Amino acid sequence: MNDLLACARFPRASTYGPAWIRAGVSGGAHPLWLTEWLCESLSLRPGMRVLDLGCGRALSSIFLHREYGVQVWAVDAWFNRDENLRRIQDARATEGVFPLHADARSLPFAQGFFDAIVSIDSFPYYGTDDFFLGSLARYLQPGGLLGIAGAGLAREIDGNVPGHLHGWWTPDLHCLHSPPWWRSHWQRTGLVDVTVADTMPDGTQRWVDWQRAVAPDNSVEIDAVGADAGDYLAYVRVIATRTSVAADEPVTSVATTYVRQPLLRGETTDDPVS
C-alpha cells in the first residue's frame, strides 16, 4: 500500500511519510503530488508570500514552505485552524505557515498582499463564479502568480453524463471543467494572463492510485475513473500572471448605522411604533 504513495514522478512528495499523508487526507486527490506538479511551472522563490486557498488540513501549505521556502497563509473554511496549527508545529514549520479560518469569498487581506495564490483540488467549488476572480485578484500584486491544480475534465461534457460515470457522478461534479474552459473563464476578465492550461499525463492512473492508497473501499470512484481512462476525467492545472487591470472593489453598504425613517408615505418619525 505504501508503494502507491511513493511515485517516481513526484520525487519531492515521495519523501513524506505515508502515515502522515493519510492522517491529513482532506480531499479526493494527493495534495503533494498536485502541488509538486503545479510548482513545476510556477516560479516560486524563497520568501514570497503565498496564499494557499482551500488548504484542507494544510499538507500542501507545509509542503510549499518546506520545499520552496515561501511564507504560506493556509486558509480554509471547513477544516479546523487549531488542528492545522498543531500539524504545522509538528512539521516544524511555524515560522513560515500561518493557519487561518476564512471563506474564499471573504478574505481578511490587504490589496496586493500576496506574490502568489495557489489552490489545490478546491478551486472549482467556488471559483467558477463569474465574479470570483475579480474579488480574488485584488489580493495579488501586479505580476503575481495564480495557480490551481486538481480534479477536472480533459474535455467538456456536451449533453448527458457518459454512462460509465453514472454510478459515481453527482450534481456537484458539474463544477469540474477542462483547461480550455478555465483559460477562457480567466482570460476574458483581463485581470490575468493565462500561461499554462493543461492536464497531467497519466493523471487518471495517479487518481486511481491515490484512491487505492487512502480509500481502497471506494470502488465506485475507482471503477469510474478506471473505466474512463482519461477520456473525460483528468487532473487539471492552470497558471496565470496578474495584470495591471484594476480588480473589483468589495461591495459595501452605503448606510453604516440605522436611523429610523417613515415607513409609509404621510407618516413621520414621531408616529408611534405599534
Side-chain angles (χ1 to χ4, degrees):
M1 192 72 71
N2 291 356
D3 290 341
L4 292 173
L5 297 178
C7 179
R9 171 65 180 80
F10 304 107
R12 290 176 183 259
S14 295
T15 65
Y16 289 76
W20 182 79
I21 293 169
R22 287 194 183 90
V25 170
S26 59
H30 193 317
L32 305 192
W33 288 351
L34 291 178
T35 306
E36 185 168 347
W37 178 49
L38 179 65
C39 290
E40 289 171 359
S41 296
L42 194 72
S43 301
L44 297 180
R45 301 182 304 277
M48 291 177 73
R49 290 195 295 259
V50 178
L51 170 61
D52 186 1
L53 188 59
C55 68
R57 291 193 165 94
L59 268 62
S60 54
S61 306
I62 293 167
F63 182 81
L64 284 164
H65 173 64
R66 289 176 58 91
E67 298 297 323
Y68 303 98
V70 296
Q71 292 185 304
V72 186
W73 279 256
V75 173
D76 200 277
W78 293 352
F79 291 90
N80 187 282
R81 173 185 57 189
D82 296 331
E83 179 190 308
N84 280 351
L85 177 58
R86 292 195 295 272
R87 185 174 288 106
I88 292 163
Q89 290 169 335
D90 290 343
R92 298 178 295 280
T94 52
E95 75 284 1
V97 184
F98 316 109
L100 291 173
H101 181 272
D103 188 276
R105 295 182 177 86
S106 183
L107 296 171
F109 301 110
Q111 182 171 325
F113 183 76
F114 291 107
D115 301 297
I117 297 174
V118 304
S119 182
I120 304 301
D121 205 35
S122 72
F123 199 83
Y125 295 105
Y126 43 81
T128 58
D129 183 339
D130 286 342
F131 295 101
F132 183 73
L133 186 61
S135 66
L136 183 66
R138 69 174 179 267
Y139 302 114
L140 267 180
Q141 59 179 264
L145 304 171
L146 174 62
I148 66 173
L153 300 178
R155 57 190 175 114
E156 294 297 308
I157 295 175
D158 184 14
N160 296 328
V161 175
H164 65 277
L165 298 179
H166 279 176
W168 169 69
W169 192 273
T170 53
D172 61 300
L173 293 176
H174 285 290
C175 71
L176 301 181
H177 289 288
S178 63
W181 188 94
W182 283 109
R183 180 185 290 276
S184 174
H185 186 61
W186 284 7
Q187 194 74 41
R188 64 185 180 177
T189 67
L191 296 166
V192 297
D193 285 328
V194 177
T195 56
V196 174
D198 61 3
T199 60
M200 181 189 290
D202 297 325
T204 50
Q205 184 58 57
R206 303 287 81 76
W207 190 329
V208 168
D209 287 347
W210 170 251
Q211 289 296 322
R212 286 175 173 163
V214 302
D217 295 332
N218 186 11
S219 59
V220 173
E221 183 169 348
I222 292 170
D223 291 347
V225 176
D228 184 77
D231 191 15
Y232 285 99
L233 302 178
Y235 283 153
V236 170
R237 173 177 63 177
V238 189
I239 297 172
T241 302
R242 177 75 171 93
T243 68
S244 58
V245 173
D248 297 342
E249 290 298 322
V251 177
T252 58
S253 174
V254 174
T256 57
T257 58
Y258 174 72
V259 177
R260 186 186 173 203
Q261 300 294 339
L263 176 65
L264 302 175
R265 291 180 183 271
E267 286 186 346
T268 72
T269 54
D270 295 328
D271 294 332
V273 177
S274 57

